[in-house]
Amino acid sequence: MVRTLKHYIGGEWVESTSDKVTPVVNPATCDVLAHVPEGTLEDVDKTVKAAEAAYPEWRSTPILSRAQYMYRYKALLEERFEDLARVVVEENGKTRDEARGEVRRGIESVDFAISVPSFARGYKTEDISSGIDETAERQPMGVFAAITPFNFPMMVPLWFLPTAIVLGNTYVLKPSPQTPLSSELMMEILHDLDMPEGVVNMVHGGKEVSTAVMTHPGIVGVSFVGSTPVARIVYETCAKHGKRVQAQGGAKNYIVVMPGADMAASVKNIMGSAYGCAGQRCLAGSVVVAVGDAYEPLRDELVKQASSLRVGYGLSETTQMGTVISASARERIERMISEGVAEGATPVLDGRGKTVEGFENGSFVGPTILDGVTMDMSVARDEIFGPVLSIMHADDFDEAVELVNASKFGNAASIFTSSGRDAREFKYRVNAGNIGINVGVAAATASFPFGGKKDSFFGDLHGQGPDAIEFFTDRKIVIERWF
Ligand code: NAD
């Protein structure tokens, strides 16, 4: 008997008013782990109303008391650390170590939320005119919501929710229907904190429920993380409905390797970047641009190391790369590899048709390397979101920077070099939100803002860090005179 998940509304687990459900499938074993309700407009309305009702009392709860809940949340997340990581592996397919890394990053966002009272201040100028003072007071705004993707089901909701509520807002989470179990466990742990009912809420569903969240008059702002086409819709819909919005989209991250770079260290980092989480990271390296003489040794070493990666079920400690999220993701990735080959790329390592003993129906794609890729090929331009690395060749640094900047995406870009001049020019000239210098995954830590440029981000204030404090609060100007 497979259970059907419930929404979390006003401190209670509530059945959906819809009986339509989608299976949540373990992508390695194909076991159906649960059914997630599709959700309805009525469900969304009930959820938002619970968050609205909780707002006045929560807003006037002292900020230090609000932060205290997050100290206890952190302690409980640490206690349940291995359970959280296991749930991520089961529903997402990544390896246990990758899931542990994700949970650790999520807890770091809770750490940041705990520090928020030290930063969330207004400012004041005395005597803007004789005997008149002016103050900018920082205030929460109401109900915020997050619409989150499958690939970091634990970490991404934690980028937003803890900071938003410590700042005095109440919250609605709409997790990915592909990976709702991590969010369910996060909510169960939040429930154990005995916060006032309605401060945090969760509503399940897909496109229809997302749309209801984006258009509901009770919601003041939306944080979105997902693919670029949906990010664009979210940005436009929220703006049309008068909401604040930050919409983080897809990516195509380039990695430049210069002659003279430390080859062993570069390859190790590129391997982690391209094949970590089976390439399903918005910061995953997708195209390597080998400059000049770096090309041949780099390609040979990448092929050698990628072909020896152990692909398997994430819960097995010996697995180095897990599955992709679903059978349809696997089909899409294999189709994109085939398109690249049809367009002239050489599959020097081909992960299509990968099977793993004991998990014959699992959604595995083996590590893939396409050589001789050029900018006119779809594999150089479009997001693949799988374990596929394309290799391009550039004659010099300037040509490499041109290739990187030709991408419509701008989430991240890295350079491997031993030249300070190249490193400086790269970070100066490359139009991406996150730059790695001899670092393959340039992931901002919780106290720094995180977001891309171009088609990788729609909005102005990024997630995390000081931007999050700005996003979740407004300033009110008070001009004051006493007779
Ligand atoms: P997705 O865009 O398919 O879904 C994201 C969320 O949007 C889910 O909750 C989904 O239910 C909802 N949704 C789907 N279609 C919708 C629609 N038409 N209208 C409204 N809501 C809709 O993304 P995904 O496949 O879950 O995640 C992978 C994508 O996320 C990749 O493109 C990846 O690059 C991106 N991503 C970006 C970042 C970042 O920080 N830029 C981080 C993680 C993932």
Side-chain angles (χ1 to χ4, degrees):
M1 182 70 181
V2 177
R3 72 193 174 98
T4 298
L5 303 187
K6 293 179 178 169
H7 306 307
Y8 183 66
I9 305 176
E12 285 175 5
W13 295 96
V14 177
E15 274 180 25
S16 174
T17 53
S18 154
D19 50 15
K20 285 197 200 140
V21 294
T22 317
V24 182
V25 179
N26 178 322
T29 62
C30 298
D31 293 339
V32 176
L33 303 170
H35 285 132
V36 63
E38 285 191 10
T40 62
L41 303 191
E42 196 185 330
D43 294 344
V44 173
D45 190 50
K46 213 190 287 178
T47 313
V48 178
K49 290 219 165 93
E52 281 186 298
Y55 177 62
E57 188 194 324
W58 183 243
R59 183 206 160 164
S60 57
T61 302
I63 188 168
L64 292 176
S65 308
R66 296 194 303 248
Q68 282 298 325
Y69 285 104
M70 290 300 104
Y71 279 101
R72 288 179 43 220
Y73 192 39
K74 176 186 163 77
L76 294 182
L77 290 171
E78 294 286 5
E79 253 175 46
R80 303 288 302 274
F81 190 92
E82 287 299 328
D83 295 340
L84 289 158
R86 199 197 62 244
V87 172
V88 171
V89 174
E90 285 173 349
E91 67 176 356
N92 171 283
K94 63 180 72 174
T95 69
R96 205 195 286 259
D97 270 350
E98 288 164 350
R100 287 175 178 139
E102 165 170 2
V103 177
R104 177 57 52 212
R105 281 288 179 133
I107 293 176
E108 285 167 9
S109 293
V110 179
D111 291 341
F112 176 72
I114 289 169
S115 75
V116 152
S118 312
F119 303 115
R121 295 181 176 143
Y123 43 92
K124 176 167 188 169
T125 302
E126 279 186 343
D127 289 320
I128 49 148
S129 187
S130 292
I132 302 182
D133 303 333
E134 181 166 2
T135 313
E137 299 195 351
R138 191 179 286 284
Q139 298 188 330
M141 295 176 63
V143 183
F144 277 87
I147 300 171
T148 55
F150 78 79
N151 68 325
F152 283 99
M154 185 74 60
M155 179 184 79
V156 171
L158 290 174
W159 281 351
F160 308 112
L161 183 150
T163 297
I165 63 170
V166 171
L167 286 165
N169 305 287
T170 56
Y171 217 77
V172 173
L173 171 64
K174 203 297 288 171
S176 166
Q178 294 186 97
T179 51
L181 296 169
S182 307
S183 297
E184 182 189 51
L185 184 48
M186 272 174 50
M187 281 292 159
E188 274 173 21
I189 300 173
L190 279 167
H191 179 79
D192 290 344
L193 301 178
D194 286 329
M195 275 195 285
E197 290 161 3
V199 172
V200 295
N201 306 274
M202 176 172 68
V203 61
H204 292 293
K207 180 181 166 184
E208 202 186 326
V209 163
S210 289
T211 306
V213 166
M214 292 186 274
T215 55
H216 197 292
I219 287 181
V220 295
V222 175
S223 302
F224 170 84
V225 180
S227 60
T228 288
V230 182
R232 206 188 293 276
I233 293 171
V234 171
Y235 183 63
E236 290 172 1
T237 310
C238 288
K240 200 168 160 194
H241 288 82
K243 299 185 197 322
R244 283 194 174 187
V245 55
Q246 46 184 193
Q248 304 189 188
K252 186 85 195 171
N253 304 312
Y254 278 65
I255 299 178
V256 171
V257 182
M258 296 300 294
D262 179 328
M263 198 49 74
S266 306
V267 169
K268 182 168 182 270
N269 278 274
I270 294 167
M271 289 290 297
S273 179
Y275 301 118
C277 300
Q280 297 174 118
R281 276 196 295 218
C282 68
L283 293 174
S286 180
V287 180
V288 166
V289 182
V291 176
D293 298 345
Y295 169 67
E296 261 186 42
L298 180 66
R299 182 201 55 196
D300 294 349
E301 196 53 30
L302 282 170
V303 173
K304 185 171 148 210
Q305 293 201 20
S307 44
S308 68
L309 273 181
R310 283 189 302 274
V311 179
Y313 185 26
L315 283 182
S316 152
E317 293 290 352
T318 55
T319 293
Q320 293 174 308
M321 193 175 92
T323 63
V324 297
I325 185 64
S326 62
S328 65
R330 173 192 169 136
E331 271 166 37
R332 186 200 69 240
I333 295 162
E334 293 192 340
R335 191 177 60 243
M336 290 185 79
I337 297 170
S338 302
E339 272 167 27
V341 173
E343 286 170 347
T346 309
V348 284
L349 184 63
D350 192 344
R352 288 173 290 182
K354 176 80 188 170
T355 50
V356 171
E357 204 186 321
F359 301 95
E360 280 73 14
N361 295 319
S363 301
F364 296 98
V365 179
T368 297
I369 297 183
L370 298 174
D371 193 16
V373 170
T374 52
M375 211 56 199
D376 53 341
M377 297 179 189
S378 52
V379 286
R381 294 192 311 265
D382 300 332
E383 182 174 40
I384 301 175
F385 221 54
V388 182
L389 188 61
S390 296
I391 303 183
M392 295 173 96
H393 186 247
D395 286 338
D396 56 25
F397 175 83
D398 287 336
E399 189 188 341
V401 169
E402 256 175 54
L403 290 171
V404 177
N405 279 338
S407 173
K408 61 181 184 255
F409 296 102
N411 213 34
S414 293
I415 184 168
F416 286 87
T417 181
S418 54
S419 154
R421 178 202 162 274
D422 290 346
R424 199 266 173 189
E425 281 293 298
F426 191 80
K427 69 179 173 183
Y428 190 80
R429 284 163 54 183
V430 166
N431 195 12
N434 303 281
I435 299 289
I437 294 172
N438 295 318
V439 166
V441 181
T445 53
S447 59
F448 283 80
F450 179 49
K453 293 182 184 291
K454 300 195 273 185
D455 279 3
S456 295
F457 182 73
F458 303 90
D460 50 2
L461 292 167
H462 289 179
Q464 302 192 148
D467 279 32
I469 295 174
E470 293 300 327
F471 187 75
F472 293 124
T473 56
D474 207 351
R475 272 88 57 228
K476 184 180 278 173
I477 301 302
V478 179
I479 303 201
E480 196 170 3
R481 166 163 63 192
W482 289 89
F483 299 110

